[in-house]
Amino acid sequence: PTGMPDDQREGLQEELIDIILHVLKRNPQLHYYQGYHDIVVTFLLVVGDRLATALVEKLSTHHLRDFMDPTMDNTKHILNYLMPIIDQVNPEVHDFMQSAEVGTIFALSWLITWFGHVLSDFRHVVRLYDFFLACHPLMPIYFAAVIVLYREQEVLDCECDMASVHHLLSQIPQDLPYETLISRAGDLFVQFPPSELAREAAQQQAERTAASTFKDFELASVQQRPDTVLRQRFRERLRGEERTKSILTKPRTNRFVKLAVMGLTVALGAAALAVVKSALEWAPKFELQIFP
C-alpha cells in the first residue's frame, strides 16, 4: 500500500517471503509464478501472517492450482473461456475482437492475481477476493468477460487492430460498478456454466496453435520422426545401389546387342553380295534374250 513507512514495508516483505517459501516447501508440486505475491500480500494485509499462511496454502492447492504448474498451459486454457463467454452475450463484440486479433493475453494479469495487481483501490480488491473465494475457480474469467462486455461501446469505437484494442482493454477503469458486475458475473456463470463452454474453449486453443494452421503439419512431423528418416534413407540407399548395378550391367547388355546386330548385318551383307554376283552372271544372258 502507498504511504507505508519503510520499516513496516520491509517487515511486510519479510513476512511475504516467509509465507511463499513455506507453501512451496510443503508443496513441491507447486511452482511460483509472477503475480502470486499479489495474492499472498492481500491475505497478509487482511488476516496477518499466521492465518494468511494457512489460507494461502489451501488456496494454492485449489483455486490457484492451475496457475502453479511448471508451464502456463493450463492458465492459457482458462483464458480460452473468455471469448466463448463474450460470444454468448454479445457476438458483435466477440467478432470485433476476433477481427482485431487481440487474443486474451490482456486479461492474464487479471486472472492470475485476481485483479489485485491492476486495481489501485484496496477495498475493491478485497471485495473481489470475497467473491472469488465463495465461487468456482473459473469465476475470475467470468468477471473479466463482464468487464469487457461493460465496455462494449469503448471497444467498438476503438480502431480494429491488435495494438489499439489491447491497449484499451489493458487499462481497467477504477470507477467500475463492482457490485453490478459481480452480480452479472454470477448470472453468466449460471446461464453459461463451464461445462457448456469447455468444447468451444478447447476449439479456441486448437485454432490458436500455430501448427494447426498448416494442414500438412502432422504429415510433415511424421516424416521427421527418426525411424521414418532412417527408413527413408535406407530406401534411398537401395535405390542408389540399384541404379549403380544397372549402370554396371548396361554396357554388357549393349555389347551383346551390338554383336548380334553386327552379325546380322554381316549375314545380310554376304547374302546381298551373293545375289549381286549371281545377277551379274545371268544378266547379260537375260539382256540378249530381251534384245536379240
Side-chain angles (χ1 to χ4, degrees):
T2 58
M4 179 178 290
D6 291 341
D7 57 343
Q8 186 178 354
R9 183 183 300 276
E10 292 176 1
L12 188 66
Q13 289 176 344
E14 291 295 330
E15 293 175 350
L16 176 64
I17 294 173
D18 290 342
I19 294 174
I20 293 175
L21 292 179
H22 174 83
V23 173
L24 295 179
K25 184 177 180 180
R26 283 173 51 88
N27 302 272
Q29 77 278 12
L30 302 178
H31 297 76
Y32 178 83
Y33 65 88
Q34 187 66 31
Y36 181 66
H37 66 284
D38 286 295
I39 291 182
V40 178
V41 76
T42 302
F43 284 93
L44 178 59
L45 289 170
V46 174
V47 300
D49 59 340
R50 183 176 179 180
L51 188 54
T53 301
L55 291 173
V56 168
E57 182 173 7
K58 187 68 173 180
L59 192 65
S60 299
T61 56
H62 289 80
H63 284 63
L64 305 178
R65 180 63 184 87
D66 287 326
F67 307 149
M68 304 190 73
D69 278 343
T71 68
M72 292 187 65
D73 291 343
N74 285 339
T75 302
K76 290 186 291 185
H77 178 66
I78 294 174
L79 283 172
N80 289 334
Y81 282 84
L82 178 63
M83 296 304 292
I85 298 172
I86 296 174
D87 189 28
Q88 292 289 340
V89 181
N90 194 325
E92 184 181 5
V93 173
H94 171 271
D95 294 345
F96 182 88
M97 294 176 65
Q98 290 287 77
S99 298
E101 299 182 346
V102 68
T104 57
I105 196 66
F106 66 88
L108 176 62
S109 63
W110 305 358
L111 176 66
I112 63 177
T113 69
W114 279 9
F115 296 84
H117 184 72
V118 294
L119 297 181
S120 58
D121 194 327
F122 192 65
R123 295 175 304 165
H124 297 154
V125 174
V126 295
R127 177 65 184 94
L128 287 179
Y129 274 46
D130 284 340
F131 176 51
F132 296 151
L133 283 170
C135 297
H136 190 279
L138 287 181
M139 187 56 73
I141 205 67
Y142 280 82
F143 191 79
V146 166
I147 291 179
V148 175
L149 292 168
Y150 176 77
R151 306 179 68 189
E152 168 191 356
Q153 198 57 51
E154 292 181 75
V155 173
L156 296 178
D157 290 342
C158 186
E159 292 291 334
C160 189
D161 62 77
M162 188 272 290
S164 300
V165 180
H166 178 84
H167 177 73
L168 172 69
L169 293 175
S170 298
Q171 311 297 321
I172 294 184
Q174 299 299 312
D175 58 346
L176 293 173
Y178 290 95
E179 293 303 325
T180 301
L181 297 182
I182 287 174
S183 178
R184 181 60 174 150
D187 291 341
L188 289 182
F189 183 87
V190 174
Q191 190 175 0
F192 310 109
S195 58
E196 294 185 4
L197 303 175
R199 180 179 299 179
E200 191 172 349
Q203 183 66 24
Q204 289 262 341
Q205 177 67 17
E207 292 176 353
R208 189 171 290 112
T209 305
S212 65
T213 62
F214 297 90
K215 300 302 182 182
D216 58 345
F217 183 83
E218 185 176 355
L219 177 60
S221 299
V222 170
Q223 296 299 327
Q224 294 176 19
R225 289 175 51 187
D227 56 338
T228 304
V229 173
L230 290 175
R231 286 197 297 270
Q232 183 178 356
R233 290 181 178 178
F234 181 72
R235 288 194 297 267
E236 291 177 351
R237 188 176 65 182
L238 288 180
R239 286 196 294 267
E241 292 177 355
E242 291 176 357
R243 284 196 299 270
T244 302
K245 185 182 298 184
S246 175
I247 293 174
L248 292 176
T249 58
K250 189 174 182 180
R252 183 179 300 177
T253 303
N254 290 343
R255 185 164 59 251
F256 290 148
V257 173
K258 289 180 180 179
L259 289 175
V261 171
M262 290 176 61
L264 181 59
T265 303
V266 170
L268 292 175
L273 183 61
V275 170
V276 171
K277 185 177 180 181
S278 300
L280 291 176
E281 290 178 354
W282 57 264
K285 299 178 181 180
F286 181 73
E287 289 178 356
L288 292 175
Q289 291 177 0
I290 297 176
F291 305 103

